[in-house]
Amino acid sequence: MKPLSMKSKFIFATLAAFTLLGAGVLPPLSPAAVDSFAPKGAKSPAAQTQPAVPQRPLPDSAPVPAEQALSQRVAEYHIDVQLVPDTETLKASETVTWTHPGEKPVNELYFHLYPNAFASMDTTFMKESGGALRGDTMPQNGFGSMTITDLRTSEGVSLLQRTQYAQPDDGNVKDQSLLKVHLPQPVNGGESVTIRLQYEVKLPKIFARMGSAKDFVMAGQWFPKLSAYETAGTRGLQEEGWNLHQYHGTSEFYSNFGIYNVTISVPSNYIVAATGFPVKNAKLKQGQKIYQFYADDVHDFAWAASPDFVVAEEAFSSPEVPGVRIKLYLDPLHKDLKERYFQAAKAALSNFSKWYGPYPYSTLSIVVPPKEGNGAGGMEYPTLITAFGASGASPDTSLERTVIHEIGHQYFYGMVASNEFEEAWLDESFTSYAEDRLMEQEYGIAPNLPLQSSLVQKPEPLKLESWKYGGADSYTWNVYIRGKLLLKDMERQVGSKTMDAILSSYAKEYRFKHPTTADFQRTVEKKTRKSWKTYFDQYVYSGGAPDFAVADIITGPNNSGSNGDRFTRESVVKVTNTGSHYANVLLKFNFADGSTALRTWDGEGKEAKFQLLHNAALLSAEINPEHSVLLESKHLNNFRRAELEPESLSRWTLSMTKLLETVLGTLVW
């Protein structure tokens, strides 16, 4: 998902600055197939055969064979979809073969019907989101939905009467985003079952990653997609089974890896961008332009279409990237910005491949929506990403930041395919961390992490189902910001070299797998050769955060020095931490003669006292003065001034003026 816009960041930074200066706790902020394709041995559940309903013919060319599978290919999709002109409707036939990866007999299949999330204001997605997401709102009368018109086995046995909608998360009977299909016969481990579907999708007005806006179409989460089936041991599970969730206001997606062979028919003047690569050149037939795309070792398929795309392509390779064709599908407003898109994409591919393992696919497509299609902007799909909608001819570096962020998701989400329903931080936090590093390296733009930390006013556990955060703001501040700050905090403790080794090892070990937070913890412990249980218990599995304070300053009487003409002033400063334990915290003491002193608190216990002997009066004390402990979000009580004598007040006032200037100077990100 896209990072925060620069405008939003500026607003949040300004508000956070006042928090740092003592404005108090802020209220929550808005961040803004045909049978010939089925694997040998595929079976259809036995039952009385019924006449088959004629289907649109699927492609007659076999998928391009892979030399070696990179993933466990659980599902194989063959889809023929047609964009019906002037109706904002998709009509499709789909044949999907599911190969049971486990051992227990399975009596039902589950399909995600994501377009139904936009059917009314009563769906779970719309109720939770309020019709708003990432600064976009549902256009008036912009509803969309999916209707399955036929569902049967490959032998023609109808299954329509064997379906029911499921709402495992909230029991909302008006939510139809998850469909259960009862099979006539169980599927045993290692066996396959093939199902044929016909369906229509009424595209919503573009909102929340998909839909149509004038002639632009974004087909994301547009087809009946099998839920993920997890075997015992996957993500630490004791028992195998389906991972079942509805479409929620803040959730994204999770699926098994597989193969996709998709034919897309559009009006003759349209251009299509899609996951994977074209099997053959597009051809014209009866006023339609027909494309065919193939992708393997991916867990989703998306496409976009427009008559207005300006297309540019470049081949790219590096020591870490064997070879990839980068394809740009630009809105005309950005036709002169292709070099900026190419440069950002090349920087991301080369560096992320160096850090996290080679990019294994032969294509990467970047779709730039029109301004009115920005609801589809800033989103990741396997081998295809969307940039921000084109709203200006000279955008700032949010152009590069979005491209880099979404390409980062090719690794954390695309290949390291964690469960975005339940552990979204493993995607968003890791990608945001990588984004910041690359933006600083390539463009010299360093994030203001202390200000970002001040935004996380209510820390929540990072391993939390996405819809259980306290709204979209809490989801954003924890999953994007707090999780990233935790990774930066770990880097601060172990050093950048060791942190690089941790992330590289994690990304390579769980490539084309489905890791969990515990897997990441094991990687950290292996690379650092020590236990991180306490740290993860406090800051990952719980919503822990330190809360430092300068609780009291006591100044003692002046004592005569040995030479009789100098004085030693004694002060005692009490500091506390009423939050989670944190070791080695810096303290800074400011004196009336302009000098400073630094001490380090080991963090043991909930409080500590520091005795200071100095020739000049102590003016103030501050704990975590540079806000380098990024997991602390409440900074108001970190600073305290001593009771000052009248002659010291002017110096202290000047110091506060300089502090204000320093803080406000950090607003340029």
Side-chain angles (χ1 to χ4, degrees):
M1 185 188 289
K2 66 186 176 185
L4 298 176
S5 68
M6 294 301 294
K7 179 180 179 181
S8 297
K9 286 181 175 180
F10 181 83
I11 294 172
F12 298 144
T14 303
L15 293 172
F18 286 110
T19 301
L20 289 171
L21 290 174
V25 178
L26 295 173
L29 300 171
S30 296
V34 293
D35 294 337
S36 61
F37 293 136
K40 292 182 179 180
K43 73 172 189 176
S44 299
Q48 183 178 358
T49 302
Q50 299 179 12
V53 174
Q55 293 192 339
R56 291 173 53 83
L58 289 168
D60 55 5
S61 62
V64 177
E67 294 181 1
Q68 183 178 0
L70 300 175
S71 67
Q72 183 179 20
R73 299 172 177 178
V74 175
E76 183 170 339
Y77 294 87
H78 298 273
I79 307 175
D80 185 347
V81 57
Q82 178 185 13
L83 172 62
V84 182
D86 304 320
T87 66
E88 300 177 336
T89 300
L90 306 179
K91 291 187 177 182
S93 298
E94 174 176 319
T95 297
V96 56
T97 298
W98 180 74
T99 301
H100 190 344
E103 299 177 356
K104 296 171 58 177
V106 166
N107 295 292
E108 61 278 322
L109 301 178
Y110 287 86
F111 288 88
H112 291 290
L113 309 184
Y114 288 116
N116 283 339
F118 310 108
S120 75
M121 293 302 297
D122 295 323
T123 69
T124 295
F125 181 95
M126 296 299 288
K127 289 174 69 175
E128 291 179 351
S129 69
L133 183 71
R134 309 186 302 177
D136 298 310
T137 57
M138 165 69 85
Q140 188 174 7
N141 300 318
F143 297 110
S145 62
M146 171 182 281
T147 301
I148 295 180
T149 58
D150 193 59
L151 175 66
R152 59 186 62 237
T153 70
S154 58
E155 295 177 348
V157 179
S158 177
L159 300 176
L160 279 176
Q161 299 302 314
R162 303 175 67 93
T163 65
Q164 66 184 98
Y165 294 106
Q167 302 88 16
D169 299 326
D170 63 1
N172 177 10
V173 296
K174 294 186 178 181
D175 186 83
Q176 299 182 352
S177 62
L178 185 64
L179 182 71
K180 181 178 182 179
V181 180
H182 297 269
L183 298 174
Q185 176 179 320
V187 184
N188 297 311
E191 295 180 339
S192 300
V193 60
T194 297
I195 302 296
R196 290 179 171 177
L197 308 92
Q198 292 191 49
Y199 52 94
E200 295 184 2
V201 177
K202 177 64 173 70
L203 292 168
K205 295 294 184 182
I206 212 156
F207 167 67
R209 312 178 184 96
M210 73 168 295
S212 63
K214 296 182 179 179
D215 291 335
F216 173 78
V217 170
M218 184 69 226
Q221 309 304 329
W222 58 279
F223 62 97
K225 185 167 64 171
L226 285 166
S227 298
Y229 190 91
E230 300 179 308
T231 57
T234 301
R235 300 192 311 113
L237 294 176
Q238 298 295 316
E239 295 185 8
E240 64 181 76
W242 295 101
N243 185 265
L244 301 176
H245 297 297
Q246 299 153 242
Y247 195 6
H248 290 272
T250 52
S251 72
E252 293 193 21
F253 315 103
Y254 176 48
S255 300
N256 295 124
F257 287 96
I259 295 172
Y260 290 83
N261 186 47
V262 182
T263 296
I264 305 170
S265 300
V266 295
S268 59
N269 61 331
Y270 271 64
I271 298 170
V272 171
T275 291
F277 59 89
V279 175
K280 59 181 70 174
N281 292 329
K283 61 183 180 181
L284 292 173
K285 186 177 181 180
Q286 297 178 344
Q288 292 278 300
K289 188 184 291 186
I290 302 173
Y291 292 80
Q292 184 179 348
F293 292 89
Y294 173 82
D296 53 26
D297 299 312
V298 297
H299 49 74
D300 202 356
F301 188 99
W303 57 278
S306 172
D308 301 320
F309 281 146
V310 177
V311 181
E313 295 187 15
E314 282 193 15
F316 174 69
S317 64
S318 73
E320 295 79 23
V321 182
V324 59
R325 182 163 291 277
I326 304 173
K327 302 181 179 184
L328 299 182
Y329 298 85
L330 300 163
D331 180 82
L333 186 60
H334 280 194
K335 63 183 176 63
D336 295 327
L337 300 177
K338 62 181 182 180
E339 291 307 320
R340 289 181 60 181
Y341 284 99
F342 278 129
Q343 196 280 333
K346 292 173 183 178
L349 285 171
S350 59
N351 284 283
F352 293 158
S353 292
K354 179 180 179 179
W355 300 342
Y356 310 126
Y359 183 78
Y361 307 111
S362 62
T363 60
L364 173 68
S365 297
I366 303 172
V367 174
V368 182
K371 177 181 180 181
E372 59 271 15
N374 193 45
M379 189 59 194
E380 69 278 1
Y381 304 95
T383 79
L384 183 148
I385 66 168
T386 62
F388 271 117
S391 58
S394 300
D396 59 24
T397 53
S398 60
L399 181 157
E400 286 82 4
R401 181 177 292 278
T402 303
V403 170
I404 286 170
H405 182 91
E406 305 310 337
I407 293 178
H409 276 303
Q410 298 299 309
Y411 298 83
F412 300 108
Y413 150 84
M415 287 176 273
V416 184
S418 48
N419 187 334
E420 292 188 289
F421 288 118
E422 299 177 9
E423 297 178 85
W425 87 285
L426 292 176
D427 303 300
E428 298 298 351
S429 298
F430 284 59
T431 300
S432 296
Y433 174 93
E435 167 207 326
D436 277 358
R437 179 181 177 184
L438 192 57
M439 286 298 294
E440 184 169 5
Q441 173 183 300
E442 296 295 317
Y443 299 98
I445 301 175
N448 193 312
L449 299 178
L451 279 177
Q452 292 183 28
S453 71
S454 69
L455 297 173
V456 189
Q457 291 298 308
K458 186 181 179 183
E460 303 252 25
L462 294 175
K463 191 179 182 302
L464 190 66
E465 293 167 324
S466 64
W467 59 95
K468 293 185 178 179
Y469 287 97
D473 292 342
S474 179
Y475 172 82
T476 298
W477 303 140
N478 284 278
V479 169
Y480 283 80
I481 295 179
R482 181 170 173 266
K484 177 187 70 176
L485 295 175
L486 180 133
L487 295 176
K488 292 295 294 184
D489 185 74
M490 293 175 65
E491 177 190 303
R492 176 175 175 265
Q493 296 186 48
V494 305
S496 59
K497 184 177 180 179
T498 299
M499 193 65 187
D500 288 348
I502 289 171
L503 292 175
S504 176
S505 178
Y506 170 71
K508 292 174 182 178
E509 181 176 356
Y510 295 104
R511 191 178 176 91
F512 297 104
K513 298 177 183 177
H514 306 286
T516 187
T517 300
D519 294 318
F520 175 63
Q521 181 181 341
R522 280 189 288 271
T523 303
V524 174
E525 293 176 338
K526 181 179 179 180
K527 288 297 179 181
T528 59
R529 299 181 181 181
K530 70 174 186 178
S531 173
W532 285 72
K533 183 180 185 303
T534 300
Y535 185 88
F536 271 70
D537 285 346
Q538 288 185 112
Y539 296 111
V540 178
Y541 300 114
S542 300
D547 185 7
F548 306 121
V550 179
D552 195 15
I553 298 177
I554 302 174
T555 56
N558 297 344
N559 298 316
S560 296
S562 58
N563 57 10
D565 58 0
R566 298 185 66 186
F567 296 96
T568 299
R569 297 173 181 265
E570 179 182 18
S571 301
V572 176
V573 178
K574 178 182 177 181
V575 294
T576 63
N577 179 9
T578 59
S580 303
H581 173 267
Y582 198 97
N584 302 323
V585 187
L586 186 68
L587 291 95
K588 181 179 181 180
F589 305 100
N590 300 298
F591 296 94
D593 60 0
S595 64
T596 62
L598 300 176
R599 298 282 185 87
T600 299
W601 179 24
D602 61 13
E604 296 303 318
K606 289 294 184 180
E607 64 178 56
K609 293 181 179 179
F610 292 83
Q611 183 183 35
L612 302 166
L613 298 174
H614 200 81
N615 295 330
L618 177 67
L619 295 180
S620 64
E622 187 172 9
I623 187 169
N624 189 22
E626 298 178 353
H627 305 297
S628 57
V629 181
L630 299 173
L631 297 178
E632 184 190 27
S633 60
K634 299 177 181 179
H635 305 112
L636 179 62
N637 53 2
N638 287 24
F639 178 89
R640 189 182 186 96
R641 68 180 180 89
E643 292 296 329
L644 301 179
E645 299 174 0
E647 63 269 19
S648 301
L649 286 176
S650 60
R651 184 184 297 274
W652 182 84
T653 302
L654 179 61
S655 298
M656 284 303 296
T657 301
K658 290 187 178 296
L659 175 62
L660 177 62
E661 292 173 348
T662 299
V663 172
L664 293 180
T666 64
L667 292 181
V668 180
W669 288 34

